[in-house]
Amino acid sequence: MAGGVVEKPEGAYGGSTRNYLNETRGIKNWIITLDHKRIAMMYLVAVTLALLLGGFFAVALRTVLWDGAVRDPNDLILGMRVEQMYNKYFTLHGAVMVFMFIIPGIPASLGNFILPMQLGTKDLALPRINLMSLYLYWIGATLFVGVLAFGGLDTGWTLYPPYSLDRQTSIPLILALSAVFILGFSSILTGLNFIVTMHRLRPPGMGMYDMPLFLWALYATSLIQVLATPVIGLTLALAMVEHMFHIGIFLPQYGGDPVLFQHFFWFYSHPAVYIMILPAMGVQSELIATFSRKHVFGYKAIGWSSIAIAAIGFIVWGHHMFVAGQSPAAGLIFSFLTFFVAIPSAIKVFNWVATMYRGSIELKTPMLYGLAFMYLFGIGGLTGLFLASIANNVHLHDTYFVIAHFHMVMVGSTLNAFFGGVHYWWPKMTGRMYNETLAKIACGLVFLGFNLAFMPQFVAGTRGMPRRYANYADEFTTFHQISTVGAYVLGAGVLLQVIYLTYSWFKGPRAPKNPWGAASLEWQADSPPDFHNFTKPVIVMAAYDYENWEYDPNTGGYELRKEVVESGRSLATAHH
Amino acid sequence: MSTSTAHSHDTHALPPRPKELAMHFDTLHNQYQAGKLGMWLFLGQEVLFFAALFTAYAVYRGNHTEMFHVGQYFLDWRLGATNTIVLLFSSMTAAWSVRCAQLEQRRGLVLTIAITWLCALTFMVVKYFEYTHKIHVGSVWGDSFHIHNMADLPRGVVDWLYKHNPGLAQMQGEEQLAAVNDMLGKNGLGLGSFFAVYFCMTGLHGIHVLVGMGVYAWLFVRALKGHFNRRYYGAVDNVALYWHIVDLIWIFLFPLLYLIG
Ligand SMILES: [Cu+2]
């Protein structure tokens, strides 16, 4: 049946009508599709697999750390010394999570699906570029599997020379460098496509200030993707050439400068942190507003603070190199600039809290993730200030304090927002509802596990536990063991999610069009949407005008009010 | 030439959708603008891609002024200037091709695309001779830098060597060559890093020229088939934009590497 459009009568697919999932069948029709929704779902599956792979390494390295105080360094597991295994685990954990999960995670899966729908349009502006970005992701991911097959790396995800370039086996190193290079271009193409779409495919009547804040966040993210990623691309290309031909760019023994690599690396990798967190903040704005049933507070402040974070993010990279031989003057400037990131970040948090104030808060699973986000981001963000001040940094750098800080931001915040977003848009994407009770249990496990895993690391770090060591002094045993238990609990929460979500995709109850009463345009489409997204003309309305929707007990979801459908315009326009 | 008759049987009130218009755009103009914005963003990406190399250049030049001063003697400014003129000319023909597409001058379009492609080829041929000569002399990147023959050294380099080591005149053959390599190589000036910068910058630029030749070949075929018209010429326009940035990068590379000592 692979090929053209399959005409089926209504109800042929278990009572559902035609939609993007059943429009055509067969693997080929998915692989060569130009439909943003299918590409998004393929991305979602791919990044979830990456999350599980990276999570496997996390659990593995935490397991090694369980008895790091008493282990005999000569112990062998599978014929390899434990320390060697550990070094590979933390490298692969970091690299897989950063490059294959967190960076593409929210934009390429949720963003790809939701962005055109929030604009009420049929697709992204450049569908072929979108498909190419997916292919590049697959190629990069395949190369990374090659890294594993050829014995892995133990450089840390940062790949600092000289160790990375003259002390590694060539094949896995070159595979890893090309994988990250290619994944980078996948990311650039996604960002480029998003910016073009937001400029060219907004419907008449929707200005930039009428877009949902998720899109503002994606816009800021895309700017960073387009402007920062090429620098790491070039850096990795140079590193590869250095490794193969000893050209004398990064390796000191041939006249190169390893600190230059660090500058280049962090010129990308610091902004990359905002590629990870900004989309999460965008999801967060949607969750908080929807489940408080209140117009988001400080719309422009939240929107522009995304842009501000992206802009400031480009000029703070030196805070990763306070003790790497950077001049004290440069250190001071970078420290000073880093503090500025706190301002737009705090603006967002305060506005979310203000949005909740006197809202009618509904504690559905996505909202629980939203609350967890705020709590963990608060801690992650504030501890960033500890690290930004130079004197503290000299003491804390390369300790577990740093690990705990960036996991609070990257995992605590981004992973929570990713889960929140997946649950929020799951009914739209799959047309099915998940089991709310199981979802809340999983959310609780993730929250508990996460705190157990990382809170003790702050304390261990301040007491001098260095990162990237398989062994440690007796006094750190308790911290490490609590942390390992936390990692298992977190892992259990994630596995539980994967299980009930997968189950619900096939067997879950049908989702209504708008189960949450959210107001952005994607909720006017069917669940799951038609191949062309909308079957009726979209009524363009502001993203947070909740009064246009009313609960319909027959469908179990929300429907547009009659007045709105008849007049074809938002109730709020009448008030203005 | 008009296609309107083909649709005369159409009963719809709406004008027919041009076949080039993708389903998610409402006008060809909007589709053209989207493609163009995409290309500008891509060019922004290109600028940042090269910016890292220019930064590396600045860092190495700042730290090793004399290395760049001597290294520059190895580069032949006449070849660099030839390539500059070739590329500037090709930029003109590239812009001309856009105009031809807009005016639906099919022969002009095919011709200007062909000339642009030939200019790119010329550039690569000159580059080929430059590269092979350097490999022959041994003035190459990093660890591989090793001069094979005193006679290959440019005048300026020889002068610099004698100025800094008058004893060279008393040496001969292998002994002299070893001393020279000691002065120029990683134990001395470290010219290997200069040539690393040179080969990386011009090499990456060369790859861009090759990509440009690829896309111009594709445009050539499409132009022959008559794919473009006054409302649909985005591809010609965007490729020309790409070609301009490739030229622009060379405009910076030429003085930085060949001219300022
Ligand atoms: Cu940073």
Side-chain angles (χ1 to χ4, degrees), chain A residues 255-276:
Chain A
D257 182 355
V259 179
L260 185 66
F261 177 91
Q262 295 187 21
H263 276 290
F264 284 171
F265 183 84
W266 290 113
F267 182 85
Y268 165 73
S269 293
H270 184 83
V273 174
Y274 301 128
I275 297 179
M276 306 173 198

Side-chain angles (χ1 to χ4, degrees), chain A residues 289-528:
Chain A
T290 299
F291 292 99
S292 304
R293 299 206 62 72
K294 203 164 144 259
H295 194 291
V296 74
F297 185 87
Y299 175 95
K300 286 189 182 174
I302 297 183
W304 278 103
S305 61
S306 291
I307 308 289
I309 289 175
I312 300 170
F314 274 98
I315 48 174
V316 301
W317 77 90
H319 64 216
H320 294 270
M321 303 163 60
F322 285 151
V323 294
Q326 186 175 248
S327 77
L332 266 176
I333 293 167
F334 280 123
S335 162
F336 182 72
L337 291 172
T338 301
F339 282 110
F340 276 96
V341 183
I343 298 170
S345 308
I347 287 177
K348 282 182 187 291
V349 176
F350 292 140
N351 280 303
W352 292 326
V353 175
T355 304
M356 289 170 63
Y357 177 67
R358 307 193 72 173
S360 52
I361 294 168
E362 230 185 328
L363 290 178
K364 297 276 192 192
T365 309
M367 183 60 168
L368 293 180
Y369 282 112
L371 295 177
F373 175 104
M374 259 195 285
Y375 165 75
L376 296 171
F377 181 71
I379 297 171
L382 288 172
T383 48
L385 295 179
F386 294 31
L387 291 166
S389 51
I390 301 181
N392 274 341
N393 190 283
V394 172
H395 179 67
L396 292 174
H397 84 97
D398 270 355
T399 68
Y400 266 59
F401 191 89
V402 177
I403 305 274
H405 155 69
F406 72 71
H407 278 82
M408 283 279 160
V409 183
M410 257 160 252
V411 194
S413 314
T414 306
L415 189 63
N416 264 293
F418 175 74
F419 289 154
V422 166
H423 283 81
Y424 179 61
W425 282 301
W426 190 257
K428 184 56 63 194
M429 296 190 294
T430 64
R432 307 288 184 136
M433 295 302 288
Y434 49 83
N435 182 307
E436 182 74 18
T437 316
L438 283 176
K440 281 184 172 148
I441 295 173
C443 180
L445 286 176
V446 167
F447 185 71
L448 177 73
F450 186 80
N451 280 290
L452 279 179
F454 293 103
M455 287 301 179
Q457 296 189 1
F458 280 121
V459 187
T462 51
R463 297 188 184 180
M465 175 69 214
R467 69 192 283 197
R468 295 179 171 175
Y469 279 72
N471 303 313
Y472 48 79
D474 255 342
E475 53 173 308
F476 296 114
T477 307
T478 320
F479 299 124
H480 275 292
Q481 293 189 345
I482 297 176
S483 189
T484 302
V485 171
Y488 284 129
V489 176
L490 176 56
V494 175
L495 279 183
L496 178 59
Q497 278 189 356
V498 173
I499 292 167
Y500 71 74
L501 283 178
T502 312
Y503 175 84
S504 79
W505 195 344
F506 298 101
K507 304 268 174 184
R510 304 260 153 216
K513 186 186 260 189
N514 183 358
W516 319 121
S520 40
L521 303 189
E522 77 268 31
W523 301 103
Q524 292 183 29
D526 295 335
S527 299

Side-chain angles (χ1 to χ4, degrees), chain A residues 161-183:
Chain A
Y163 181 69
S164 63
L165 299 183
D166 66 355
R167 290 283 185 280
Q168 297 291 318
T169 346
S170 282
I171 295 178
L173 176 68
I174 289 171
L175 285 175
L177 293 172
S178 18
V180 179
F181 183 90
I182 289 169
L183 289 170

Side-chain angles (χ1 to χ4, degrees), chain B residues 159-179:
Chain B
D159 290 348
W160 184 88
L161 284 167
Y162 281 111
K163 194 175 131 210
H164 285 79
N165 186 0
L168 272 182
Q170 273 79 57
M171 299 180 199
Q172 274 175 351
E174 289 300 309
E175 187 198 9
Q176 193 185 37
L177 205 56

Side-chain angles (χ1 to χ4, degrees), chain B residues 10-30:
Chain B
D10 232 319
T11 50
H12 294 289
L14 290 169
R17 283 175 75 84
K19 63 179 188 316
E20 300 96 344
L21 183 59
M23 62 101 182
H24 56 297
F25 285 106
D26 41 12
T27 61
L28 274 175
H29 175 74
N30 202 18

